[in-house]
């Protein structure tokens, strides 16, 4: 099996590549990543070494690298660069070969400050990937988000389903919605062999420290106070990154072409509840009413609640999430950031300096 994984040096993509190497010892993975600020070479470095030389701290991954012909190569390029993307996709000629398209600008706060890179990577980039898949008749899985559906009221019993209408709120979610629409049109008009997945909020190791959970964990590890937007009433539906990726692999092998699958693990929690759990687990919940974190300026247009109904994906594909205890998953994530300071420390200061330009303690 040969895979081209766009955005494979980012959070979900890098964890996906690691899962593929663990579960498919004979796979060959080409990561196509433009190595934006969100990428981290260290997430893949131990995999890129020549098989047999080992190098990985991850025992399972090391065993596979040593024992099989699995290879990971990193091509540093923009997926909107049609010439490079086309050359890599043209090499996918086997029956199980595919493109898994993770590449995107992914952070809502950045999209509010500077929307253009989102239009470029998320829409023009997806266009270039689609055109190459069309030209070479290559199977594509497009990774999208639940944010394309807009938000739900806090007291609404409803969840997003594959039939929910698109109603994006931010430049980020609007460009992801645009990309999804391109994929649907290329399936219908040109017969591109594609599937789409829309997943809820991911957490786990190797997530950039600009995002909610790793930002708070690394703030605490650094002796800074965690930052909660507004009151913290907003609800997110958390899923461990490995569960997202096991669903993507299931869709690749068993999904029906042209279909959209929703991925979620029934992990709805308010931001306040997640923040409180992190502070408790890390022992910083203070005394005398100090809960250990600051409330800061809210995000403009802040989506209230996301919630995924993944019944179809579970029932039709037989997929089940394995990491369903958020507190346990948070503890593992805290342990990972505590043990891997080299991975995040070089970018932490810059991220906090950027937040400091707009954030005000309430
Ligand atoms: P990330 O920002 O951590 O990683 C994105 C990667 O894409 C980076 O390595 C970056 O360098 C690369 N990239 C960006 N533009 C590129 C371009 N034009 N060409 C090549 N590479 C480019 O993001 P993530 O959290 O890993 O998200 C991956 C995908 O999953 C995105 O498509 C995102 O919309 C989707 N998604 C994310 C979540 C989440 O909670 N993080 C949830 C659902 C869906
Ligand atoms: O410091 C913070 N404090 C805070 O309260 C940050 C960074 C965020 N928040 C809040 C905003 C959100 O309600 O936490 C929640 C999660 O924020 P993010 O980690 O920025 O994620 P979100 O905006 O929900 O989007 C994420 O999930 C869907 C990913 O970043 C997207 O790529 C994905 O599509």
């Amino acid at each position: 099996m040969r895979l081209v994984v766009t955005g494979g040096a980012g959070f979900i993509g890098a964890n996906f590549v690691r899962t593929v190497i663990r579960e498919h010892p004979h796979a060959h993975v080409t990561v196509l990543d433009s190595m934006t600020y969100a990428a981290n070479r260290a997430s893949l470095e131990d995999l890129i070494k020549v098989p047999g030389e080992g190098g990985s701290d991850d025992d399972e991954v090391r065993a596979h690298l040593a024992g099989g012909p699995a290879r990971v190569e990193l091509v540093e390029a923009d997926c909107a660069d049609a010439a490079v993307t086309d050359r890599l996709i043209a090499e996918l000629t086997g029956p199980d070969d595919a493109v898994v398209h993770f590449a995107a600008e992914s952070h809502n706060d950045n999209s509010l400050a500077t929307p253009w890179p989102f239009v470029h990577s998320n829409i023009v980039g997806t266009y270039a990937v689609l055109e190459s898949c069309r030209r070479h008749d290559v199977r594509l899985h497009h990774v999208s988000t639940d944010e394309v559906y807009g938000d739900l009221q806090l007291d609404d019993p409803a969840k997003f389903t594959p039939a929910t209408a698109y109603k994006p709120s931010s430049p980020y979610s609007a460009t992801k919605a645009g990309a999804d629409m391109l994929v649907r049109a290329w399936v219908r008009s040109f017969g591109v062999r594609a599937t789409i997945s829309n997943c809820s909020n991911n957490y786990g190791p190797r997530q950039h420290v600009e995002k909610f959970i790793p930002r708070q964990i690394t703030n605490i590890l650094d002796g800074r106070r965690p930052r909660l937007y507004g009151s913290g009433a907003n609800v997110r539906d958390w899923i461990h990154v490995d569960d997202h990726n096991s669903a993507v692999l299931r869709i690749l092998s068993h999904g029906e072409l042209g279909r959209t699958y929703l991925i979620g693990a029934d992990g709805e929690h308010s931001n306040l509840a997640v923040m409180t759990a992190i502070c408790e687990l890390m022992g910083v919940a203070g005394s005398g009413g100090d809960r250990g974190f600051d409330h800061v300026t809210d995000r403009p247009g802040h989506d209230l609640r996301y919630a995924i109904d993944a019944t179809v994906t579970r029932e039709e594909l037989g997929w089940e999430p394995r990491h369903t205890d958020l507190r346990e998953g948070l503890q593992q994530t805290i342990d990972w950031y505590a043990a891997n300071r080299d991975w995040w420390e070089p970018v932490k200061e810059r991220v906090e300096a950027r937040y400091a330009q707009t954030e005000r303690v309430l």
Side-chain angles (χ1 to χ4, degrees), residues 15-256:
N15 282 294
F16 178 79
V17 172
R18 303 183 79 82
T19 299
V20 167
I21 295 304
R22 248 187 247 117
E23 294 183 6
H24 300 271
H26 295 276
H28 183 294
V29 177
T30 303
V31 170
L32 167 57
D33 198 300
S34 56
M35 304 304 286
T36 68
Y37 78 94
N40 195 331
R41 200 174 285 271
S43 298
L44 295 173
E45 222 147 45
D46 58 333
L47 304 185
I48 293 171
K49 290 197 170 154
V50 178
E53 289 184 356
S56 176
D57 290 338
D58 180 331
D59 286 344
E60 266 185 274
V61 166
R62 190 171 50 228
H64 284 313
L65 282 175
R71 278 190 175 74
V72 179
E73 62 176 334
L74 172 62
V75 176
E76 186 172 340
D78 182 346
C79 67
D81 179 339
V84 182
T85 298
D86 200 65
R87 176 173 62 75
L88 298 178
I89 291 179
E91 289 170 13
L92 301 178
T93 52
D96 298 324
D97 294 357
V99 178
V100 188
H101 181 41
F102 290 96
E105 287 291 337
S106 70
H107 193 37
N108 274 299
D109 291 324
N110 294 344
S111 82
L112 297 166
T114 324
W116 165 246
F118 289 75
V119 175
H120 173 78
S121 287
N122 302 1
I123 296 189
V124 183
T126 300
Y127 164 76
V129 168
L130 277 167
E131 280 293 81
S132 293
C133 288
R134 170 190 178 194
R135 190 169 302 116
H136 303 290
D137 189 24
V138 169
R139 167 86 166 91
L140 168 68
H141 181 69
H142 171 66
V143 178
S144 189
T145 171
D146 58 358
E147 297 194 19
V148 299
Y149 300 116
D151 61 354
L152 299 160
Q153 292 304 307
L154 294 177
D155 57 357
D156 187 344
K159 295 186 174 201
F160 301 134
T161 74
T164 306
Y166 276 32
K167 199 172 165 237
S169 313
S170 71
Y172 163 66
S173 51
T175 55
K176 291 298 291 185
D180 293 9
M181 292 303 165
L182 292 183
V183 177
R184 289 181 183 199
W186 262 241
V187 167
R188 168 95 185 237
S189 300
F190 305 124
V192 167
R193 294 185 293 127
T195 40
I196 299 176
S197 55
N198 296 84
C199 186
S200 60
N201 281 62
N202 285 219
Y203 76 98
R206 304 177 188 84
Q207 185 168 29
H208 196 280
V209 294
E210 68 188 354
K211 301 287 178 10
F212 179 54
I213 288 177
R215 184 182 182 205
Q216 315 316 330
I217 293 172
T218 54
N219 273 359
I220 295 170
L221 290 172
D222 248 2
R224 304 171 199 252
R225 281 175 75 82
R227 303 289 190 142
L228 187 65
Y229 292 171
S231 69
N234 307 61
V235 169
R236 295 294 182 265
D237 188 354
W238 293 100
I239 182 171
H240 192 280
V241 62
D242 287 345
D243 284 330
H244 180 181
N245 284 330
S246 71
V248 168
L249 279 170
R250 195 80 192 153
I251 295 166
L252 264 183
S253 59
H254 291 78
E256 191 183 321

Side-chain angles (χ1 to χ4, degrees), residues 321-339:
R322 288 170 53 197
H323 304 267
T324 46
D325 182 336
L326 182 65
R327 233 179 138 83
E328 203 177 290
L330 284 175
Q331 183 62 61
Q332 285 168 1
T333 307
I334 291 165
D335 293 345
W336 190 87
Y337 281 91

